[in-house]
Amino acid sequence: MTRSVYVTGIGRGDGRQVVELGVMELLTRQVDRVGVFRPLVHDDGPDRLYDLLRSRYRLTQPAASAFGMTYAEAATLQAEQGMDELMSRLVDRFHGVAKDYEAMLVLGTDFADTGLPAELALNARLANELGAAVLPVVSTTRDQGPEAVAAEVRNAHHAYASLGADLLAMVANRVGSQEARDALGSLAERLPEPVYVLPEEPALAAPTVQQVKEAMGAEVLLGDHSGLSRDVRHLVFGGAHLPSFLPALTEGCLVITPGDRADLIIGALAAHSAGAPAIAGLLLTLDERPGEQTLALAARLAPGTPVLTVPGGSMPTAGELIPLEGKLTAATPRKAEIALGLFETHVDTGQLSERLAVVRSERVTPMMFEHELVERSRAARRHIVLPEGTEERVLRAAEVLLRRSICDLTLLGEPTAVRKRAAELGLALDLLGDGEAPDATGRATARLVDPLASPLRERFAETYARLRAHKGVSYELAYDIVSDVSYFGTMMVREGLADGMVSGAVHSTAATIRPSFEIIKTRDDAKIVSSAFFMCLADKVLVYADCAVVPEPDAEQLADIAIQSATTAARFGVEPRIAMLSYSTGTSGSGAEVEKVRRATELVRSRRPDLLTEGPIQYDAAVEPSVAATKLPGSKVAGQATVLIFPDLNTGNNTYKAVQRSAGAVAVGPVLQGLRKPVNDLSRGALVQDIVNTVAITAVQAQGESPV
């Protein structure tokens, strides 16, 4: 039976999109097919939240099936035929959709000019008719005292409970003061359901420059997509002379000034270029446009920084901007990560997942695999070093990793350059200096370390010179070598100052893993270092190896790769069933390459008789049950293999790329195997989510590692 969650509120503007996004995240961790249903919808344009959910969670649900009817239609139907008929229509519509899904997220009415009387009661009754558990969201205002905040949540609880709603929990959103949070903590002890408290998050309320552009109908004179995605945290009005104006600039501010004030335009952009501070952009008023020379200088001073223009004056423009709030949309994926980080930090997701009572799917989808990575890394947080501290994708990934408490980080690079780049990208990274202590909140933190200036450089040089003395490496040479970010990061891992390292977004594979061969070295139970990819197909996750490191493994090495890959698979929740791949199956073929695979299979079976291993076997017989039934009937691996070992790098690398591109699989990796501590390489084309996944994998690997 479908399990449904109905997220609702008690009034408009409660910010419940954060909760709706968080609940969707929990549901997609547990089941493959999650549907969305909004019973009533405005007819004034696209549904931003639904578009975000559809984009982020790759929903295949037809958009038309996600909505019941418009508010205008509902008001007319209720007036003419009564509430029972309205309920009947909406319930029929819901069940027509829900039959195709394992779980449903229902988005309640928004209390915004709906034309419906007794809207809270309507939501409660509809949830009851749908058989959905209710999750009410109560928003507070900044000037409410602790007693008023607690009373509002208590009254909302009573209102829904008295109407027979099956309450899942209560959520108090945008709670500003610690006193109010304490009061809600006391209230939670007296209610039968949990009360979760989400504090106010300024980064969610801040509109992006793009949203300012759309709201004001502004024209873009300068700026790129990255600049338009910056958050506008403050408004600064430029009217004074430059010496008085510059001290008023703040991080992430939008400068509003008449377009004929070339001095303030150039001054603000020069300050931004110097990193003191990094502004969100400029909004020029009065339809005054700077001259060509001014614009050309502006473009050179701060490339990508947006400069917009509007026809109105500064004060009317300000009147429109001040109430403008940020919105969660498909076009603001960074805000979605911020929202999820807020939800996961302040909601007991384990407790709420249990209360959802959704039966976990047996299939493992790519999204479920990614969710599992995040959950496991959060459970025992580790410290990962990222050598490429000024790279945009790495910085964007760092923000996600910190927001969602996946791990603590060290970013390597010149501190001023890293901070300036993060500010230019509009990222909310609270970067600690080398040696600076974190606060007492227990949140994930990122530290900045400059290998050239760090006091660790001498210590690392002494250690490296000792490790490489047999190669004639002197202290002086080692002092130069360890200043390289890859070597410095690897030394941090060896010395226990970080639990793992991820690099390769801009560095080559060799530059990333060569230091680990020299410094960290292989485990005692591993003969070589190899790699594995997690291939996330539509309905399962397979492990491919080796696709990145060992060109021509012999039988001994192939057996070692298979055993390491089985361990990797098991560590990440994939039950290992090993297929030793070849161009023939069983005894049907012969030749040196087939004999190598046959010998490797025998070695795996003798060393690890507990592992289910089949080989030599062709790919189709390994993964397709109908082929397996013909070629290897009775095999416990054929047709259901999960760990596929390729006979050489040429075959493995081409196969993983072919499957990735042709079947639309998500390839996570390569994950290096056999090192004493985890170091992992990125593709130079890695996306932000690829980096997040690889760091999470590294953190999970580190949870099971022993010291060097």
Side-chain angles (χ1 to χ4, degrees), residues 48 71 160 211 291 302 361 379 401 407 410 439 454 462 618 651 671:
R48 289 189 301 269
Y71 284 105
Y160 277 103
Q211 290 171 340
S361 295
L401 292 162
C407 62
T410 290
D439 60 31
S454 172
E462 291 174 357
Q618 291 162 289
T651 308
V671 179

Side-chain angles (χ1 to χ4, degrees), residues 449-463:
V449 175
D450 183 358
L452 291 172
S454 172
L456 291 170
R457 185 176 176 182
E458 293 182 2
R459 168 181 161 186
F460 289 175
E462 291 174 357
T463 302

Side-chain angles (χ1 to χ4, degrees), residues 625-642:
S626 61
V627 177
T630 301
K631 293 189 174 183
L632 276 179
S635 170
K636 295 181 179 179
V637 173
Q640 51 186 337
T642 57

Side-chain angles (χ1 to χ4, degrees), residues 87 503 677:
M87 286 290 133
S503 188
K677 287 193 173 184

Side-chain angles (χ1 to χ4, degrees), residues 384-405:
I384 306 300
V385 58
L386 304 177
E388 299 156 326
T390 57
E391 162 61 28
E392 175 180 344
R393 291 164 295 159
V394 171
L395 287 169
R396 292 191 182 280
E399 185 183 43
V400 175
L401 292 162
L402 296 178
R403 286 283 185 182
R404 304 190 67 182
S405 293

Side-chain angles (χ1 to χ4, degrees), residues 541-569:
V541 177
L542 302 177
V543 175
Y544 283 10
D546 179 4
C547 304
V549 178
V550 187
E552 293 284 350
D554 58 25
E556 288 273 349
Q557 292 171 326
L558 206 57
D560 193 58
I561 291 169
I563 292 170
Q564 289 183 39
S565 300
T567 301
T568 297

Side-chain angles (χ1 to χ4, degrees), residues 150-227:
E152 191 146 357
V153 173
R154 184 172 57 250
N155 291 340
H157 178 276
H158 174 74
Y160 277 103
S162 66
L163 291 168
D166 175 16
L167 290 174
L168 188 64
M170 299 292 297
V171 178
N173 193 26
R174 296 174 172 171
V175 179
S177 69
Q178 184 59 52
E179 292 79 9
R181 291 194 283 273
D182 292 341
L184 288 169
S186 300
L187 173 64
E189 297 174 359
R190 304 194 296 273
L191 293 180
E193 294 84 24
V195 177
Y196 304 122
V197 182
L198 305 184
E200 191 171 20
E201 174 51 73
L204 281 177
T208 64
V209 178
Q210 176 68 28
Q211 290 171 340
V212 169
K213 169 189 172 295
E214 293 169 355
M216 303 299 297
E219 179 185 349
V220 179
L221 300 180
L222 295 174
D224 58 18
H225 175 75
S226 178

